[in-house]
PDB file of all heavy atoms in Angstrom:
ATOM      1  N   ARG A  10     254.903 267.545  65.477  1.00 94.00           N
ATOM      2  CA  ARG A  10     256.339 267.321  65.674  1.00 94.00           C
ATOM      3  C   ARG A  10     256.999 266.386  64.632  1.00 94.00           C
ATOM      4  O   ARG A  10     257.944 266.892  64.012  1.00 94.00           O
ATOM      5  CB  ARG A  10     256.550 266.835  67.082  1.00 94.00           C
ATOM      6  CG  ARG A  10     258.062 266.429  67.330  1.00 94.00           C
ATOM      7  CD  ARG A  10     258.286 265.801  68.679  1.00 94.00           C
ATOM      8  NE  ARG A  10     257.567 264.592  68.878  1.00 94.00           N
ATOM      9  CZ  ARG A  10     257.450 263.972  70.026  1.00 94.00           C
ATOM     10  NH1 ARG A  10     257.960 264.500  71.164  1.00 94.00           N
ATOM     11  NH2 ARG A  10     256.930 262.800  70.096  1.00 94.00           N
ATOM     12  N   PRO A  11     256.406 265.164  64.396  1.00 95.00           N
ATOM     13  CA  PRO A  11     257.126 264.385  63.474  1.00 95.00           C
ATOM     14  C   PRO A  11     257.219 264.948  62.074  1.00 95.00           C
ATOM     15  O   PRO A  11     258.241 264.893  61.371  1.00 95.00           O
ATOM     16  CB  PRO A  11     256.402 263.111  63.456  1.00 95.00           C
ATOM     17  CG  PRO A  11     255.172 263.335  64.233  1.00 95.00           C
ATOM     18  CD  PRO A  11     255.403 264.515  65.091  1.00 95.00           C
ATOM     19  N   ILE A  14     259.957 267.586  62.055  1.00 98.00           N
ATOM     20  CA  ILE A  14     261.356 266.942  62.039  1.00 98.00           C
ATOM     21  C   ILE A  14     261.579 266.552  60.539  1.00 98.00           C
ATOM     22  O   ILE A  14     262.663 266.761  60.082  1.00 98.00           O
ATOM     23  CB  ILE A  14     261.352 265.769  62.977  1.00 98.00           C
ATOM     24  CG1 ILE A  14     261.231 266.234  64.358  1.00 98.00           C
ATOM     25  CG2 ILE A  14     262.605 264.943  62.691  1.00 98.00           C
ATOM     26  CD1 ILE A  14     260.972 265.044  65.400  1.00 98.00           C
ATOM     27  N   THR A 208     259.081 254.635  74.018  1.00 96.00           N
ATOM     28  CA  THR A 208     258.017 255.624  73.731  1.00 96.00           C
ATOM     29  C   THR A 208     256.821 254.868  73.327  1.00 96.00           C
ATOM     30  O   THR A 208     256.851 253.778  72.871  1.00 96.00           O
ATOM     31  CB  THR A 208     258.400 256.644  72.624  1.00 96.00           C
ATOM     32  OG1 THR A 208     258.197 256.100  71.354  1.00 96.00           O
ATOM     33  CG2 THR A 208     259.776 257.222  72.797  1.00 96.00           C
ATOM     34  N   HIS A 210     252.552 255.984  72.115  1.00 85.00           N
ATOM     35  CA  HIS A 210     251.545 256.988  72.054  1.00 85.00           C
ATOM     36  C   HIS A 210     250.265 256.635  71.091  1.00 85.00           C
ATOM     37  O   HIS A 210     249.368 257.437  70.960  1.00 85.00           O
ATOM     38  CB  HIS A 210     252.108 258.361  71.711  1.00 85.00           C
ATOM     39  CG  HIS A 210     252.473 258.341  70.206  1.00 85.00           C
ATOM     40  ND1 HIS A 210     253.618 257.717  69.652  1.00 85.00           N
ATOM     41  CD2 HIS A 210     251.865 258.896  69.058  1.00 85.00           C
ATOM     42  CE1 HIS A 210     253.596 257.945  68.384  1.00 85.00           C
ATOM     43  NE2 HIS A 210     252.612 258.611  67.994  1.00 85.00           N
ATOM     44  N   ARG A 211     250.304 255.563  70.471  1.00 85.00           N
ATOM     45  CA  ARG A 211     249.279 255.329  69.449  1.00 85.00           C
ATOM     46  C   ARG A 211     247.927 255.011  70.011  1.00 85.00           C
ATOM     47  O   ARG A 211     247.759 254.171  71.007  1.00 85.00           O
ATOM     48  CB  ARG A 211     249.692 254.176  68.563  1.00 85.00           C
ATOM     49  CG  ARG A 211     250.690 254.490  67.599  1.00 85.00           C
ATOM     50  CD  ARG A 211     250.909 253.544  66.455  1.00 85.00           C
ATOM     51  NE  ARG A 211     252.073 253.958  65.781  1.00 85.00           N
ATOM     52  CZ  ARG A 211     252.103 254.680  64.759  1.00 85.00           C
ATOM     53  NH1 ARG A 211     250.913 255.049  64.173  1.00 85.00           N
ATOM     54  NH2 ARG A 211     253.175 254.920  64.103  1.00 85.00           N
ATOM     55  N   PRO A 240     260.312 258.749  78.015  1.00 97.00           N
ATOM     56  CA  PRO A 240     259.628 260.071  77.850  1.00 97.00           C
ATOM     57  C   PRO A 240     258.145 259.873  77.575  1.00 97.00           C
ATOM     58  O   PRO A 240     257.827 259.319  76.513  1.00 97.00           O
ATOM     59  CB  PRO A 240     260.376 260.735  76.649  1.00 97.00           C
ATOM     60  CG  PRO A 240     261.572 259.879  76.334  1.00 97.00           C
ATOM     61  CD  PRO A 240     261.228 258.454  76.874  1.00 97.00           C
ATOM     62  N   PRO A 266     257.969 264.307  77.495  1.00 93.00           N
ATOM     63  CA  PRO A 266     258.492 264.152  76.211  1.00 93.00           C
ATOM     64  C   PRO A 266     259.670 265.093  76.027  1.00 93.00           C
ATOM     65  O   PRO A 266     259.715 266.205  76.544  1.00 93.00           O
ATOM     66  CB  PRO A 266     257.319 264.644  75.322  1.00 93.00           C
ATOM     67  CG  PRO A 266     256.103 264.430  76.100  1.00 93.00           C
ATOM     68  CD  PRO A 266     256.499 264.572  77.555  1.00 93.00           C
ATOM     69  N   LEU A 267     260.671 264.567  75.313  1.00 96.00           N
ATOM     70  CA  LEU A 267     261.922 265.478  75.215  1.00 96.00           C
ATOM     71  C   LEU A 267     261.868 266.200  73.982  1.00 96.00           C
ATOM     72  O   LEU A 267     261.199 265.834  72.972  1.00 96.00           O
ATOM     73  CB  LEU A 267     263.081 264.468  75.179  1.00 96.00           C
ATOM     74  CG  LEU A 267     263.483 263.752  76.484  1.00 96.00           C
ATOM     75  CD1 LEU A 267     264.513 262.596  76.209  1.00 96.00           C
ATOM     76  CD2 LEU A 267     264.079 264.771  77.625  1.00 96.00           C
ATOM     77  N   ASP A 268     262.619 267.301  73.927  1.00 95.00           N
ATOM     78  CA  ASP A 268     262.824 268.023  72.704  1.00 95.00           C
ATOM     79  C   ASP A 268     263.592 266.996  71.747  1.00 95.00           C
ATOM     80  O   ASP A 268     264.372 266.175  72.203  1.00 95.00           O
ATOM     81  CB  ASP A 268     263.770 269.129  72.896  1.00 95.00           C
ATOM     82  CG  ASP A 268     263.027 270.328  73.564  1.00 95.00           C
ATOM     83  OD1 ASP A 268     261.834 270.188  73.909  1.00 95.00           O
ATOM     84  OD2 ASP A 268     263.631 271.389  73.573  1.00 95.00           O
ATOM     85  N   TYR A 269     263.425 267.292  70.427  1.00 97.00           N
ATOM     86  CA  TYR A 269     264.080 266.363  69.478  1.00 97.00           C
ATOM     87  C   TYR A 269     265.569 266.233  69.767  1.00 97.00           C
ATOM     88  O   TYR A 269     266.137 265.142  69.674  1.00 97.00           O
ATOM     89  CB  TYR A 269     263.728 266.913  68.088  1.00 97.00           C
ATOM     90  CG  TYR A 269     264.399 266.125  66.990  1.00 97.00           C
ATOM     91  CD1 TYR A 269     263.978 264.794  66.604  1.00 97.00           C
ATOM     92  CD2 TYR A 269     265.333 266.790  66.121  1.00 97.00           C
ATOM     93  CE1 TYR A 269     264.622 264.105  65.651  1.00 97.00           C
ATOM     94  CE2 TYR A 269     265.932 266.123  65.110  1.00 97.00           C
ATOM     95  CZ  TYR A 269     265.564 264.797  64.814  1.00 97.00           C
ATOM     96  OH  TYR A 269     266.149 264.012  63.818  1.00 97.00           O
ATOM     97  N   PHE A 272     266.155 264.105  72.604  1.00 98.00           N
ATOM     98  CA  PHE A 272     265.689 262.697  72.272  1.00 98.00           C
ATOM     99  C   PHE A 272     266.606 261.991  71.455  1.00 98.00           C
ATOM    100  O   PHE A 272     266.926 260.780  71.680  1.00 98.00           O
ATOM    101  CB  PHE A 272     264.307 262.712  71.709  1.00 98.00           C
ATOM    102  CG  PHE A 272     263.717 261.379  71.484  1.00 98.00           C
ATOM    103  CD1 PHE A 272     263.201 260.655  72.637  1.00 98.00           C
ATOM    104  CD2 PHE A 272     263.546 260.772  70.313  1.00 98.00           C
ATOM    105  CE1 PHE A 272     262.641 259.499  72.485  1.00 98.00           C
ATOM    106  CE2 PHE A 272     263.064 259.484  70.145  1.00 98.00           C
ATOM    107  CZ  PHE A 272     262.589 258.883  71.218  1.00 98.00           C
ATOM    108  N   ILE A 273     267.160 262.572  70.378  1.00 98.00           N
ATOM    109  CA  ILE A 273     268.054 261.797  69.494  1.00 98.00           C
ATOM    110  C   ILE A 273     269.415 261.537  70.203  1.00 98.00           C
ATOM    111  O   ILE A 273     270.024 260.455  70.118  1.00 98.00           O
ATOM    112  CB  ILE A 273     268.294 262.446  68.210  1.00 98.00           C
ATOM    113  CG1 ILE A 273     268.857 263.856  68.265  1.00 98.00           C
ATOM    114  CG2 ILE A 273     267.066 262.342  67.316  1.00 98.00           C
ATOM    115  CD1 ILE A 273     269.146 264.503  66.870  1.00 98.00           C
ATOM    116  N   SER A 286     256.252 254.137  67.793  1.00 93.00           N
ATOM    117  CA  SER A 286     256.486 255.227  66.923  1.00 93.00           C
ATOM    118  C   SER A 286     257.025 254.974  65.606  1.00 93.00           C
ATOM    119  O   SER A 286     257.806 254.000  65.418  1.00 93.00           O
ATOM    120  CB  SER A 286     257.473 256.207  67.633  1.00 93.00           C
ATOM    121  OG  SER A 286     257.974 257.079  66.668  1.00 93.00           O
ATOM    122  N   GLY A 287     256.464 255.584  64.554  1.00 91.00           N
ATOM    123  CA  GLY A 287     256.883 255.328  63.225  1.00 91.00           C
ATOM    124  C   GLY A 287     258.312 255.919  62.999  1.00 91.00           C
ATOM    125  O   GLY A 287     259.208 255.270  62.512  1.00 91.00           O
ATOM    126  N   GLY A 288     258.449 257.131  63.333  1.00 92.00           N
ATOM    127  CA  GLY A 288     259.742 257.953  63.131  1.00 92.00           C
ATOM    128  C   GLY A 288     260.925 257.310  63.818  1.00 92.00           C
ATOM    129  O   GLY A 288     261.911 257.108  63.225  1.00 92.00           O
ATOM    130  N   VAL A 289     260.668 256.869  64.979  1.00 95.00           N
ATOM    131  CA  VAL A 289     261.788 256.195  65.771  1.00 95.00           C
ATOM    132  C   VAL A 289     262.267 254.908  65.099  1.00 95.00           C
ATOM    133  O   VAL A 289     263.482 254.662  65.021  1.00 95.00           O
ATOM    134  CB  VAL A 289     261.315 255.976  67.274  1.00 95.00           C
ATOM    135  CG1 VAL A 289     262.487 255.286  68.027  1.00 95.00           C
ATOM    136  CG2 VAL A 289     260.984 257.267  67.924  1.00 95.00           C
ATOM    137  N   GLU A 292     264.553 256.071  62.279  1.00 96.00           N
ATOM    138  CA  GLU A 292     265.788 256.738  62.592  1.00 96.00           C
ATOM    139  C   GLU A 292     266.768 255.831  63.420  1.00 96.00           C
ATOM    140  O   GLU A 292     267.931 255.890  63.139  1.00 96.00           O
ATOM    141  CB  GLU A 292     265.560 258.062  63.282  1.00 96.00           C
ATOM    142  CG  GLU A 292     264.736 258.066  64.611  1.00 96.00           C
ATOM    143  CD  GLU A 292     264.080 259.406  64.855  1.00 96.00           C
ATOM    144  OE1 GLU A 292     264.160 260.337  64.096  1.00 96.00           O
ATOM    145  OE2 GLU A 292     263.438 259.397  65.917  1.00 96.00           O
TER     146      GLU A 292
HETATM  147  N1  UDP B   1     260.632 262.339  69.445  1.00 90.57           N
HETATM  148  C1  UDP B   1     261.014 263.535  70.154  1.00 90.57           C
HETATM  149  N2  UDP B   1     260.812 263.484  71.465  1.00 90.57           N
HETATM  150  C2  UDP B   1     260.252 262.283  72.237  1.00 90.57           C
HETATM  151  C3  UDP B   1     259.857 261.296  71.372  1.00 90.57           C
HETATM  152  C4  UDP B   1     259.957 261.353  70.011  1.00 90.57           C
HETATM  153  O1  UDP B   1     261.542 264.446  69.578  1.00 90.57           O
HETATM  154  O2  UDP B   1     260.111 262.453  73.412  1.00 90.57           O
HETATM  155  C5  UDP B   1     260.829 262.392  67.969  1.00 90.57           C
HETATM  156  C6  UDP B   1     261.507 261.187  67.412  1.00 90.57           C
HETATM  157  O3  UDP B   1     262.936 261.391  67.240  1.00 90.57           O
HETATM  158  C7  UDP B   1     260.835 261.044  66.029  1.00 90.57           C
HETATM  159  C8  UDP B   1     259.481 261.710  66.109  1.00 90.57           C
HETATM  160  O4  UDP B   1     259.590 262.415  67.351  1.00 90.57           O
HETATM  161  O5  UDP B   1     261.641 261.633  64.987  1.00 90.57           O
HETATM  162  C9  UDP B   1     258.414 260.635  66.199  1.00 90.57           C
HETATM  163  O6  UDP B   1     257.305 261.188  66.568  1.00 90.57           O
HETATM  164  P1  UDP B   1     256.078 260.319  67.150  1.00 90.57           P
HETATM  165  O7  UDP B   1     256.477 259.137  67.771  1.00 90.57           O
HETATM  166  O8  UDP B   1     255.297 261.398  67.934  1.00 90.57           O
HETATM  167  O9  UDP B   1     255.160 260.115  65.819  1.00 90.57           O
HETATM  168  P2  UDP B   1     255.298 259.108  64.614  1.00 90.57           P
HETATM  169  O10 UDP B   1     256.637 258.995  64.086  1.00 90.57           O
HETATM  170  O11 UDP B   1     254.735 257.724  65.209  1.00 90.57           O
HETATM  171  O12 UDP B   1     254.229 259.611  63.683  1.00 90.57           O
END
Side-chain angles (χ1 to χ4, degrees):
R10 174 181 65 191
I14 292 167
T208 78
H210 71 285
R211 282 195 192 264
L267 290 169
D268 283 8
Y269 179 65
F272 186 72
I273 56 178
S286 157
V289 176
E292 58 204 1

